[in-house]
Amino acid sequence: MAESTATKDRLVETARKLFWNQGYSATGVAQILKEAGAKSGSLYYFFPTKEDLLREVLERYKALLMPAVMEPVFAKITDPIERVFGVLDAYRRGLLYTEFSGGCPIGNLALELSDAHPEVRRLIAENFTGWTDQIRACLDAAADRLPADVDRGQLASFVLTVMEGAVMQCRAYRSQEPFDAAIAQLRDHFDRLMRERSRSVVSG
Amino acid sequence: MAESTATKDRLVETARKLFWNQGYSATGVAQILKEAGAKSGSLYYFFPTKEDLLREVLERYKALLMPAVMEPVFAKITDPIERVFGVLDAYRRGLLYTEFSGGCPIGNLALELSDAHPEVRRLIAENFTGWTDQIRACLDAAADRLPADVDRGQLASFVLTVMEGAVMQCRAYRSQEPFDAAIAQLRDHFDRLMRERSRSVVSG
DNA sequence: GTCTATATATTGATAGAC
DNA sequence: GTCTATCAATATATAGAC
């Protein structure tokens, strides 16, 4: 029973990495089994189909959001606006560390699979929502520095949009320049939003 | 000879649509042949491998950029800034028309294949560059309405970043809301840039 | 729960007639 | 250039012993 959980975990973790690096369709069950050091009997004991394994991987990503993505940044940065840019910088460093093969695993799967399987699409959307909820919370914590009429939910969605689009271009160009360009523009946008706020406080 | 060109074109066009809807790995050669009404002997007469066919598809996208993407927008809109948002709106309408399965075919392939094949990656990057070059030209044409110190190449890259990231979220949520949110924020950013310029002209 | 062995379908690609 | 027939490899998945 203890060993079986270890095997299941190893299968999910191996599949997670391979789906990330190669995509879902391009990753064969045989490769997952080989790299996880397991046999097909074990995999199909836990997961009736390859797609069930994918769903478990997407559940794992939901569980990893706070401990692996947000909390390491939040532990080092307290200012809520800087937390947003700290999260973005973590993705930037991930790109550099993986020589532009990394990026965002959810984004990859979103474009590959959003049409195919409804349940999978729902889990991808839930991963996005978990991410933007955290960004949204940062923006709410900095509400007094932003114009009162800013739609913070919309702005949080925009932050994810910018991150995903920037990662995509960096992978195509194998360069961090598109990311740096995107962050520079997003930072400029935030600066202008916060400048307006400080003006309206003075004049109001 | 005339017929052979027709067959080749049909194969490329069929592959283009299938790669767009299903991805490269998920599309089998057999399906391409069936929907193009051709046999494997024809396909492998023109293309030694499936990847050669993909490269031809990416060349076709480069050829389609002006007639299929830019010119229809430019024909209706003359203001350079509005041309930028007109191009973005065309993608938005494409998403709605395809019920969120459409989006940007290059973006899909970028995340699926940028790591795998160097030649393919280069062609994807060239497609991105062709797109941003057109946006860049619009921004240059409106240079007198933007702050003098704005990096217009960086801003053009940012426009693509926003488009691609927005399309991705729309497909995951099957909703146009993330796109509308992104455009609202980008429009706000442009408005603030242009407002700064008009202030500096008055004060300078 | 994990193993071996295997089923069945499909993959990308080839050979050779026409 | 296009056809038919087919290859070898790989795909996901299953059966049944242990």
Side-chain angles (χ1 to χ4, degrees):
Chain A
M1 189 159 54
E3 270 313 303
S4 73
T5 298
T7 299
K8 187 178 180 180
D9 268 10
R10 227 167 48 244
L11 285 166
V12 174
E13 185 61 14
T14 305
R16 186 184 71 78
K17 289 176 182 167
L18 289 172
F19 292 163
W20 189 7
N21 292 332
Q22 307 178 337
Y24 174 74
S25 294
T27 300
V29 171
Q31 188 184 9
I32 297 169
L33 293 173
K34 187 182 170 192
E35 299 198 12
K39 305 294 178 182
S40 73
S42 296
L43 195 158
Y44 287 100
Y45 171 79
F46 296 112
F47 306 103
T49 70
K50 185 186 173 187
E51 188 177 321
D52 286 286
L53 177 58
L54 171 64
R55 281 196 284 270
E56 189 70 18
V57 165
L58 286 166
E59 292 286 359
R60 174 158 300 193
Y61 275 123
K62 284 170 61 180
L64 284 172
L65 174 69
M66 292 311 296
V69 179
M70 298 295 166
E71 281 162 9
V73 174
F74 293 175
K76 284 197 239 175
I77 305 173
T78 53
D79 180 273
I81 297 291
E82 295 313 313
R83 280 183 167 181
V84 171
F85 285 92
V87 169
L88 294 172
D89 190 58
Y91 282 86
R92 181 184 186 278
R93 280 182 285 109
L95 275 174
L96 291 172
Y97 182 73
T98 61
E99 288 179 315
F100 311 106
S101 71
C104 175
I106 308 299
N108 300 356
L109 297 172
L111 290 192
E112 184 183 355
L113 302 167
S114 281
D115 297 331
H117 320 273
E119 186 86 343
V120 169
R121 187 198 63 72
R122 205 204 73 229
L123 281 164
I124 290 167
E126 286 176 9
N127 271 278
F128 280 161
T129 298
W131 200 94
T132 52
D133 278 353
Q134 290 300 313
I135 301 298
R136 166 67 189 261
C138 292
L139 299 179
D140 286 346
D144 60 347
R145 292 151 65 189
L146 294 165
D149 65 342
V150 159
D151 185 330
R152 292 191 294 274
Q154 198 184 68
L155 189 54
S157 170
F158 187 59
V159 172
L160 176 58
T161 288
V162 170
M163 186 277 280
E164 294 289 1
V167 163
M168 181 190 293
Q169 273 190 86
C170 289
R171 293 190 56 197
Y173 286 110
R174 294 189 73 79
S175 159
Q176 79 278 18
E177 270 184 46
F179 205 100
D180 294 339
I183 296 306
Q185 291 299 318
L186 187 68
R187 174 67 85 172
D188 189 47
H189 183 49
F190 268 83
D191 285 347
R192 288 168 198 277
L193 287 171
M194 293 193 286
R195 226 177 296 151
E196 174 188 316
R197 173 67 185 201
S198 61
R199 266 205 308 277
S200 74
V201 168
V202 170
S203 65
Chain B
M1 190 160 51
E3 270 312 305
S4 75
T5 299
T7 300
K8 188 178 179 181
D9 269 10
R10 227 168 46 244
L11 284 165
V12 175
E13 185 62 15
T14 304
R16 186 184 70 79
K17 289 176 182 166
L18 288 171
F19 291 165
W20 189 7
N21 292 331
Q22 307 177 336
Y24 174 75
S25 294
T27 300
V29 170
Q31 187 184 9
I32 297 169
L33 294 173
K34 186 182 171 190
E35 300 198 10
K39 304 295 178 183
S40 75
S42 296
L43 194 158
Y44 286 100
Y45 172 78
F46 295 112
F47 306 103
T49 71
K50 185 186 174 188
E51 188 178 321
D52 286 285
L53 177 58
L54 170 65
R55 280 195 285 269
E56 189 70 18
V57 165
L58 286 166
E59 292 287 358
R60 173 156 302 192
Y61 275 124
K62 283 170 62 180
L64 286 171
L65 174 69
M66 292 312 295
V69 179
M70 296 295 166
E71 281 163 9
V73 174
F74 293 175
K76 284 198 239 176
I77 305 173
T78 53
D79 181 272
I81 298 291
E82 294 313 313
R83 279 182 167 180
V84 172
F85 285 93
V87 169
L88 294 173
D89 190 58
Y91 281 86
R92 182 185 186 276
R93 279 181 286 110
L95 275 175
L96 291 172
Y97 181 73
T98 62
E99 289 179 313
F100 311 105
S101 71
C104 174
I106 308 300
N108 300 357
L109 296 172
L111 289 192
E112 183 182 356
L113 301 167
S114 281
D115 298 330
H117 321 273
E119 186 86 343
V120 169
R121 187 199 64 72
R122 206 203 73 230
L123 282 164
I124 290 167
E126 286 176 9
N127 271 278
F128 280 160
T129 299
W131 200 95
T132 51
D133 278 352
Q134 290 300 312
I135 300 299
R136 167 67 190 262
C138 292
L139 299 179
D140 286 346
D144 60 347
R145 291 151 67 189
L146 294 165
D149 65 342
V150 160
D151 184 332
R152 291 191 295 273
Q154 198 184 68
L155 189 54
S157 170
F158 187 60
V159 172
L160 177 58
T161 289
V162 170
M163 187 276 279
E164 294 290 358
V167 162
M168 180 191 291
Q169 272 189 87
C170 288
R171 292 189 58 197
Y173 285 110
R174 294 188 74 78
S175 160
Q176 79 278 17
E177 271 185 45
F179 206 98
D180 294 339
I183 297 306
Q185 291 299 319
L186 187 67
R187 174 67 85 171
D188 189 48
H189 183 49
F190 268 82
D191 285 348
R192 287 168 199 276
L193 287 171
M194 294 191 287
R195 226 177 295 153
E196 174 189 316
R197 173 68 186 199
S198 62
R199 265 203 309 276
S200 75
V201 168
V202 169
S203 64

